[in-house]
Amino acid sequence: MRSRVWWGATAVVLGGLLVAGCGDGGGSGDGDTAGAGAEQPATGGYPVTVTDCAGAETTFSKAPERIVTSNASSLELLLRLGAGDKVLGTGFPPGKGTLPGELDARARKVKVLARSVIPKEKLLGSGADVFIDTFASMNMGGGIGDAPTEEEYKAAGIKHIYLKSTACAARNKRALTELSAVEADITSLGAVTGTSAKAKELVDGMKEKVAAVQKAVGGTAEDERPTYFFFDYDAGTKQPTAVCGRQVANAVITLAGARNVFADCDGDYQQVGWEDVISRNPDWIQLGVRDRGSEAANEKAFDEARKWLESNSATKGLKAVKEGHFLRIGSEQTTIAGVENADTVQKIAKALYPGKVG
């Protein structure tokens, strides 16, 4: 589905966020969210209506006052938009010191409802008027617990919306090779919270960074682009989990001038075998570890991931391992939608094309 925008006397309809019904059971749309965000509203105002993958709508007549976020991704976006004071709680909180500057201090003030997925009863009894969900149909390593039904959300007075770029990635009909869906999420979240001007500023900044990378390396022929494997160390080493073409990480990798070696696998995530990684023999490997809460703990995790690859009989012969071609970039800013996706594009491009990217 390619989102459209109507404005004037009627509601602004935005496709970046999606409402309930993102799962496999809802709607009749084609599920193509890769191109979302091609059109954006020029002005704020209410009512604001957001659509899901299938086109179903939910309307906000005013900015929500009591927001619960599912994880650090949606929390960070609200903080960056200037709507963080409306957040009464979150799941999967960011580790101390992982957000830049003042964002970290503000994040510390948000009540932690759960260190992982918020329990159903706690979420429904939170007093929220909207829940921003980053997960939906994402694999998340196997289920996200006993989630409320849409009827239960409605009974609790909670509007349930998702970050479309990640939550519905598995439903896309084509690979993600750009960040337009992420940018649409930011635009829509800005419209919903009455912070459209700040949302535009954030999106413009992302576009500027990506455009600079594209100018430097975008003309590189496909067969000359280095191959790239995102090693999700925390998902387990016995059987690696690959990020596929429909995951936002594929867009990040592609925009950085690399070729995701598992761009052809179905969905957003897929478990593969080490023999599959060996057969594709990547030029570069990203040590994708999740935030540990401090720089020292993160560096230790990166070290552990590298040592595992260097000592394991199945991986120590890989080209990237033998040449020491590792990137230390966290999982969240690569696989979860956010402003830092554009920063990750820059970081990858700088490593793969030294001297070409400023």
Side-chain angles (χ1 to χ4, degrees), residues 170-300:
R171 291 186 50 157
N172 289 337
K173 297 297 184 183
R174 58 187 175 88
L176 285 175
T177 57
E178 56 187 25
L179 293 178
S180 60
V182 179
E183 294 160 358
D185 273 340
I186 297 170
T187 299
S188 295
L189 198 55
V192 166
T193 59
T195 58
S196 290
K198 184 61 179 180
K200 184 179 186 303
E201 178 185 324
L202 294 175
V203 169
D204 287 348
M206 290 177 66
K207 289 182 175 181
E208 183 178 350
K209 290 176 183 177
V210 172
V213 172
Q214 288 296 287
K215 183 177 181 181
V217 306
T220 306
E222 183 71 15
D223 59 359
E224 294 179 2
R225 296 183 172 212
T227 55
Y228 195 94
F229 172 53
F230 177 88
F231 175 37
D232 193 341
Y233 179 64
D234 293 313
T237 56
K238 185 175 182 180
Q239 186 176 13
T241 297
V243 291
C244 304
R246 301 179 196 178
Q247 221 285 325
V248 68
N250 189 71
V252 171
I253 293 166
T254 302
L255 290 169
R259 288 178 288 163
N260 175 15
V261 294
F262 288 106
D264 59 342
C265 68
D266 189 41
D268 49 0
Y269 293 95
Q270 189 176 103
Q271 284 194 314
V272 297
W274 282 114
E275 63 274 12
D276 299 311
V277 179
I278 293 168
S279 69
R280 304 185 189 208
N281 200 19
D283 297 312
W284 288 84
I285 296 176
Q286 179 176 334
L287 305 175
V289 302
R290 294 166 198 157
D291 186 79
R292 299 302 202 260
S294 72
E295 184 175 350
N298 289 339
E299 287 304 311
K300 181 180 178 182

Side-chain angles (χ1 to χ4, degrees), residues 92-121:
F92 287 102
K96 183 178 180 180
T98 58
L99 296 184
E102 180 60 25
L103 288 181
D104 180 69
R106 282 184 274 160
R108 301 275 69 74
K109 297 178 182 178
V110 175
K111 183 178 180 180
V112 176
L113 297 180
R115 289 286 167 185
S116 57
V117 176
I118 302 172
K120 174 180 175 177
E121 294 75 15

